[in-house]
Amino acid sequence: MDARIVLNIKGQNVTFAPTPEIYNDYINAMQANNKVAPSHNFVMRCAVADDKDRVRELLALPGASVQIAGAIVEQYAPDLNIMVGEFSA
């Protein structure tokens, strides 16, 4: 599932192109005590070439990598509506 996601960040449109490989690498790198570095790498890998300089500037802001990564994932990963329990077919 390749996608183009446009986020408006601080009044600027920024385009990201996550892929299953980039997404899976991000999820695999996340650890309880290590969220900033994987988020930074994920955001930079998803940013389209024309927007990479703009993204680098944004990532210099405190907390930006985690917020931007969260917004990309929210748009990219499907909501499967999973429920736990016994259900009749």
Side-chain angles (χ1 to χ4, degrees), residues 26 29-42 65-67 69:
Y26 171 58
M30 292 288 285
Q31 297 176 11
N33 62 349
N34 186 20
K35 292 180 179 55
V36 175
S39 295
H40 176 93
N41 293 338
F42 173 69
S65 61
V66 174
Q67 291 181 56

Side-chain angles (χ1 to χ4, degrees), residues 9-73:
I9 306 168
K10 293 187 60 105
Q12 303 175 62
N13 287 340
V14 185
T15 303
F16 300 91
T19 65
E21 177 187 34
I22 294 171
Y23 175 79
N24 289 341
D25 287 348
Y26 171 58
I27 297 303
N28 289 338
M30 292 288 285
Q31 297 176 11
N33 62 349
N34 186 20
K35 292 180 179 55
V36 175
S39 295
H40 176 93
N41 293 338
F42 173 69
V43 170
M44 284 305 300
R45 287 185 68 198
C46 288
V48 298
D50 290 344
D51 288 344
K52 284 200 185 279
D53 288 338
R54 184 175 308 135
V55 170
R56 275 189 200 90
E57 291 174 12
L58 291 167
L59 290 178
L61 300 170
S65 61
V66 174
Q67 291 181 56
I68 296 169
I72 295 168
V73 168

